[in-house]
Amino acid sequence: MRTSIVASSLLALTQAFYIPGFSYKTYRDGDTVPLLVNKVYSDYSELQYAFTELPFVCPPTGRARAGRLASGTSISLNLGEVLRGDRIVVSDYELVMGVDEEARYLCSRTIDLNDIHKAKELIRDGYVAEWIVDNLPGATSFQTTDKTRKYYAAGFKLGDETTSGASGPTEYLLNNHVTLVVRYRNAPGKDGDKGKKVIVGFEVFPRSITADGRNESGLLPYIEGDHKPLVLAPQANSTNSTGAETESTTLTIPYTYSVYWREDDRLEWQNRWDMYFAAQDDSANVHWLAIVNSLVICGLLTVGLSVVITRTIRSDISGHKDTGMRTRSPRKSASPRREKSDLLGPTADLDAESLEIDEDNAEDVAAWKLLHGDVFRAPAYGGLLAPLVGSGMQLLYMAFGLLVLGTLGVLNPSFRGGYVSVGVGLFVFAGVFSGYFSARLYKTFGGQMWQKNVIITAGLVPGLLFATIFILNLFVWIQASSTALPFGTLIALVMLWLFVQLPLVYAGSWFGFERMGAYTQPIRPNAIPRQIPEQHWFIKSVRRYLLAGLVPFMVIFVELMFAVKSLWVDKTTYYYAFGFTGIVSALLAVTVVEAALVSTYLLLCSENYHWWWHSFAIGGSSAIWVYGYLVYCYFAKLHISGFLSSTLFFVYGFLACAVYTLLTGTMGFLAAYMFSTTAAIAAKGAQVSLSLVDLVQYGFHQY
C-alpha cells in the first residue's frame, strides 16, 4: 500500500513537471487558453518595447483569467528571457478551447498627437508584435511560390505604410483587429482517448478597420469583407460648446478580435515548431555543401601539418642520432645518453651547454633547434596571458556544454531563453576550471601573487561584458526599451559573480597554484636570451594574422551567415541547427589548432622564441574576419537605422568577437604549447631514445 502511494506521488510530480519541448499541455473543450503578449521588435532597430507599455494599445484591466492569473500579471522569466528583452504579460484576450468568436470587442483607446507620432514611428520601422499561446509565438502564415507548402514567420505587423498616388502624402494604417486561428489535434496516448487536445499552431491575421459605423458595443455589423482602414491621424474637426469648430488633436482607436479553432491532424505536436524553421530546412543542402567545403580546407591544412611533423621533426630526430653530437664533459665514465625517465620527469632540465654540435654538422640543424634554451622563457605580460587563457578555458567548457545539450535536444525553441540561461550557468560554474588553468600557468610564468591573479581571472570576461552593457543601458533606458536590463537584474548578475563565480575561481586557483604547482618544462631557459635575427615579412607584419585567420573563417562562413540572418534579420533568436553547428565547430577547432601549429613552427624556424602571445593571437585572428563580415552585413544585408541601434549592433558584435577570440585563442595557445614542448625535447633530446609517440605523450602528460 505504501509503495503504491509513493509511486502515485512520483507519477503526479512527473506529470506536473513541465519540460519545454518534451512535455505537452492538454486542454478540454471549454477550457480557457491564456493569450500572453510579449514585445514588439524590428529588423530596422535594435530597440525592443514591451507590448503592454505601448501608448496606443489597450491597457490590461486586471480581470481574472484561467490559472488564477489576472490580466496584466507579469509572467516569471528566466535570465535568458530577460536578456533577450522579453516582457511577457497575461492579456485580456479570451480564448476558449473549441469556441469560435466571429467578432469580439476588446477596448477603445484615445491617444494624443505624441502617441500618434509614436505609432507612426513604429510602423515606419517595420515593428512586429509577439504574442504567445501555449508557448507558441503568434505567426504570420505564408505559402511557398508553388503553393505546395505553408510556413510561419514569428510575429505580426503593427500596421502598414501606404502612399496615395505617385506623389501623395504617406499614410500610416494601424492594425486594430486581429483574427486568431488556433490549430489543435487530439493529445497523444491515453489523453487523446479522454478527449484532451493539444495546440499545434497559432496564426494571427491583422487588419486595419475604420472606427466609423460601429454600434454601442464597439462592433461593426459585419467583420468580414472590405472596410476602410484606420488611418493614424487626428479625428475630423469638432464643434465646442459655443458652436465654433476646433481642430481635434486626439484619435480614438477601437480594438476587436476574432477567434477560430481548427483541427489539424497533419502536424504532430513534437513537430509543431517545424513550421517556423521551414527556411532552415530548405537550406540543409547548403549546410552540407558548406561542411564538405570545410572538410576540404581542413584536410589540406592537415596534409600540410602532417608534412611538417612527419618529414621535418621526425627526420630531424633520426638525423641527430647519426651526427657527431657528443657531450662536453671530459669524464669518460659518463654515459652520453640520459635515461628517458630523467628527461620526462619533473627534474628534466637540459640546459644550453649540456650538448655540443660539431661545426661540420651545424648547417644540418634546423633553425628552430637552436632555440631550445629560450623556448620556455616566460613571456612579457604573462600576468595577463594567464587570465586570458584561463577565461578561454572557461568559455570552452561552456561552449562544449551548450553544443552537447543543443544536439541532445535539451535546448530547443520551446525552452525560451534557455540557450542564454544555460550558457550563463555553465560559464559561472566553469569558473573552477578557469581558476585552475590560470593559476598553474601564472605560476609557470614565475608569478607569486596568485590572489591578484584570481581577481583578474574572475573579473576579466564578466567585467568587460558588465561594464559595456551597463554603459549602453544608460542610453537604452532613456528610450524606455525592453532591451535595457532592469536594475534588479544587474544587481542579481553582480551577486551571481560575487557569491558564486568568484569563490569557484578562488577554489580552482588555490588547487592549481598550491597543490598542483607550475607546469613542468622539459628545458631550463638560458641565463642570457638569444638574439632574434631579422624576421620574414609574414612573421613581423599584421598580414600574418589576416592570413592565418582567413582559413578558420572560411570554415565557419556559411554557419555564420545563417546565424547573422537568424539573429538580426529574422529576429528569431532561436537558431537551432545544432547538428550542423556541432560539426562546423569541430572542424573550426581542428583548423585553429592546425593553423596555430604551422604558424608556431614557422616562427621557431625564424629563430623567434616569442611564441606565447603569437599562438594566442593566431588562434583568435579569425575574429578579425568575423567582425569584418558583421560590418559588411550592416551595410549590405541589414536594415538597421538610427545612431543608438547602430551603436548597439557594433558594440555587441565586438563583444561577441572578443569572446570568440578568447575561445579560439586559447585553443591555439594550448596546441602551440604542446607542440613547443615536444619540439624542444626533440631538439635537445636527440641522444635519448625517444619516439615521436613518447613526445606526444609527454605533451598530453602536462595536462
Side-chain angles (χ1 to χ4, degrees):
M1 181 66 178
R2 182 177 301 177
T3 304
S4 61
I5 295 176
V6 173
S8 301
S9 302
L10 292 176
L11 180 61
L13 289 174
T14 303
Q15 293 176 346
F17 186 68
Y18 176 75
I19 304 176
F22 295 92
S23 304
Y24 57 86
K25 189 173 183 179
T26 60
Y27 302 91
R28 295 181 181 273
D29 289 337
D31 288 349
T32 300
V33 180
L35 189 151
L36 311 177
V37 295
N38 188 6
K39 61 185 178 183
V40 295
Y41 56 89
S42 170
D43 58 352
Y44 288 88
S45 175
E46 292 297 292
L47 299 177
Q48 305 174 98
Y49 301 94
F51 184 85
T52 55
E53 296 178 3
L54 297 178
F56 52 87
V57 303
C58 294
T61 60
R63 295 197 299 264
R65 287 290 178 267
R68 300 180 181 178
L69 292 177
S71 66
T73 303
S74 297
I75 303 299
S76 299
L77 305 176
N78 57 47
L79 180 60
E81 290 174 309
V82 175
L83 292 178
R84 68 193 291 265
D86 288 352
R87 302 294 184 268
I88 303 177
V89 176
V90 180
S91 73
D92 281 295
Y93 291 88
E94 295 185 2
L95 280 68
V96 180
M97 172 64 75
V99 179
D100 291 347
E101 293 279 356
E102 182 178 355
R104 187 153 185 176
Y105 175 75
L106 184 65
C107 81
S108 291
R109 184 71 184 269
T110 300
I111 59 176
D112 56 19
L113 290 177
N114 291 332
D115 298 336
I116 293 175
H117 177 74
K118 181 64 175 179
K120 289 182 178 180
E121 180 182 347
L122 295 180
I123 293 175
R124 183 179 63 249
D125 291 340
Y127 273 82
V128 298
E130 180 180 305
W131 292 358
I132 303 170
V133 168
D134 194 44
N135 208 26
L136 279 178
T140 302
S141 178
F142 296 95
Q143 282 188 336
T144 56
T145 55
D146 56 2
K147 296 184 179 181
T148 59
R149 191 172 53 163
K150 183 173 67 173
Y151 64 94
Y152 289 160
F156 63 94
K157 298 173 64 175
L158 289 177
D160 294 287
E161 185 178 358
T162 182
T163 302
S164 301
S167 59
T170 300
E171 294 182 338
Y172 296 91
L173 313 179
L174 180 68
N175 292 326
N176 60 330
H177 177 86
V178 290
T179 299
L180 309 176
V181 178
V182 184
R183 302 190 178 276
Y184 67 94
R185 63 167 297 147
N186 289 331
K190 296 181 179 180
D191 289 334
D193 299 334
K194 297 178 181 178
K196 296 182 179 180
K197 300 176 176 62
V198 292
I199 295 175
V200 295
F202 175 37
E203 303 172 8
V204 182
F205 299 90
R207 293 180 62 190
S208 179
I209 301 179
T210 182
D212 300 333
R214 295 177 181 267
N215 55 29
E216 295 180 357
S217 61
L219 294 174
L220 290 170
Y222 59 94
I223 292 296
E224 300 300 329
D226 295 331
H227 294 278
K228 291 177 58 179
L230 178 68
V231 180
L232 282 173
Q235 293 172 332
N237 293 344
S238 60
T239 303
N240 59 16
S241 58
T242 62
E245 289 189 355
T246 60
E247 184 177 356
S248 176
T249 59
T250 62
L251 172 66
T252 300
I253 306 173
Y255 285 93
T256 56
Y257 65 98
S258 304
V259 182
Y260 297 97
W261 298 84
R262 295 293 180 265
E263 187 172 5
D264 190 349
D265 292 330
R266 296 171 298 177
L267 188 62
E268 298 289 342
W269 181 89
Q270 60 269 21
N271 300 326
R272 62 179 186 166
W273 280 92
D274 293 352
M275 300 289 290
Y276 296 86
F277 301 112
Q280 293 186 13
D281 293 339
D282 293 339
S283 61
N285 292 333
V286 179
H287 285 284
W288 285 115
L289 289 176
I291 289 175
V292 172
N293 175 70
S294 302
L295 285 171
V296 172
I297 296 173
C298 186
L300 292 176
L301 196 59
T302 302
V303 171
L305 182 63
S306 301
V307 171
V308 170
I309 293 179
T310 59
R311 296 188 59 183
T312 305
I313 298 180
R314 192 170 183 179
S315 62
D316 287 338
I317 295 174
S318 60
H320 272 286
K321 294 180 180 180
D322 298 331
T323 60
M325 298 181 64
R326 62 181 181 274
T327 61
R328 298 180 57 187
S329 175
R331 293 177 297 177
K332 300 297 183 179
S333 59
S335 174
R337 173 175 298 181
R338 294 189 179 186
E339 293 296 331
K340 183 189 304 185
S341 59
D342 294 337
L343 182 61
L344 299 183
T347 59
D349 57 353
L350 294 175
D351 53 45
E353 299 179 355
S354 61
L355 297 175
E356 181 181 5
I357 304 174
D358 289 343
E359 295 181 359
D360 295 338
N361 297 321
E363 294 181 356
D364 296 332
V365 181
W368 60 273
K369 296 190 174 187
L370 302 176
L371 301 177
H372 56 270
D374 295 284
V375 169
F376 295 101
R377 187 176 303 281
Y381 306 105
L384 177 61
L385 180 59
L388 287 175
V389 174
S391 299
M393 293 297 298
Q394 187 176 7
L395 291 169
L396 281 174
Y397 280 102
M398 180 198 73
F400 180 77
L402 289 177
L403 286 174
V404 171
L405 294 176
T407 304
L408 295 177
V410 176
L411 299 178
N412 55 76
S414 297
F415 191 1
R416 193 182 309 274
Y419 191 84
V420 178
S421 299
V422 175
V424 172
L426 291 175
F427 177 82
V428 170
F429 288 103
V432 63
F433 302 106
S434 173
Y436 172 81
F437 287 101
S438 177
R440 292 199 66 184
L441 197 59
Y442 177 74
K443 191 168 186 178
T444 302
F445 293 155
Q448 299 298 325
M449 303 174 61
W450 67 274
Q451 293 88 349
K452 176 182 177 181
N453 183 69
V454 169
I455 301 299
I456 298 176
T457 303
L460 184 62
V461 175
L464 173 65
L465 296 177
F466 183 85
T468 306
I469 292 175
F470 180 79
I471 295 174
L472 292 177
N473 262 15
L474 297 178
F475 298 96
V476 178
W477 275 332
I478 299 175
Q479 303 294 328
S481 171
S482 63
T483 306
L485 296 181
F487 184 75
T489 302
L490 294 177
I491 297 299
L493 290 176
V494 173
M495 295 297 102
L496 185 65
W497 174 83
L498 184 62
F499 294 107
V500 180
Q501 181 179 353
L502 185 59
L504 289 175
V505 175
Y506 184 91
S509 297
W510 174 84
F511 184 78
F513 192 91
E514 297 291 347
R515 300 296 297 273
M516 301 301 297
Y519 290 108
T520 303
Q521 308 294 5
I523 296 177
R524 180 184 301 170
N526 292 335
I528 301 176
R530 179 182 177 83
Q531 184 177 1
I532 300 175
E534 183 68 18
Q535 300 294 290
H536 299 291
W537 65 270
F538 56 83
I539 294 297
K540 65 181 180 180
S541 66
V542 182
R543 284 172 286 186
R544 59 176 170 173
Y545 301 115
L546 295 177
L547 292 174
L550 179 60
V551 177
F553 173 74
M554 293 172 62
V555 171
I556 65 171
F557 171 74
V558 174
E559 287 302 317
L560 179 64
M561 179 180 63
F562 280 102
V564 170
K565 181 178 182 296
S566 176
L567 293 175
W568 279 290
V569 178
D570 299 335
K571 293 287 185 178
T572 56
T573 65
Y574 39 64
Y575 176 66
Y576 79 119
F578 288 104
F580 296 113
T581 304
I583 297 174
V584 173
S585 298
L587 293 176
L588 172 65
V590 173
T591 306
V592 168
V593 167
E594 292 176 345
L597 292 179
V598 172
S599 179
T600 302
Y601 178 76
L602 293 176
L603 187 75
L604 296 177
C605 286
S606 300
E607 302 183 40
N608 189 339
Y609 51 84
H610 296 307
W611 60 271
W612 303 91
W613 281 102
H614 171 84
S615 61
F616 187 87
I618 288 294
S621 58
S622 56
I624 302 174
W625 292 94
V626 173
Y627 194 74
Y629 178 73
L630 293 180
V631 174
Y632 163 76
C633 289
Y634 174 83
F635 290 103
K637 301 293 184 180
L638 305 180
H639 311 290
I640 298 175
S641 60
F643 175 77
L644 183 56
S645 294
S646 300
T647 301
L648 291 174
F649 173 81
F650 285 111
V651 173
Y652 286 148
F654 175 80
L655 292 178
C657 290
V659 172
Y660 173 85
T661 301
L662 286 176
L663 275 168
T664 55
T666 300
M667 289 189 290
F669 174 84
L670 295 178
Y673 188 31
M674 296 178 63
F675 172 79
S676 299
T677 301
T678 56
I681 298 175
K684 288 298 293 180
Q687 292 183 334
V688 183
S689 58
L690 292 175
S691 66
L692 190 62
V693 176
D694 295 326
L695 302 178
V696 174
Q697 287 178 347
Y698 176 75
F700 280 104
H701 177 71
Q702 289 285 72
Y703 301 94

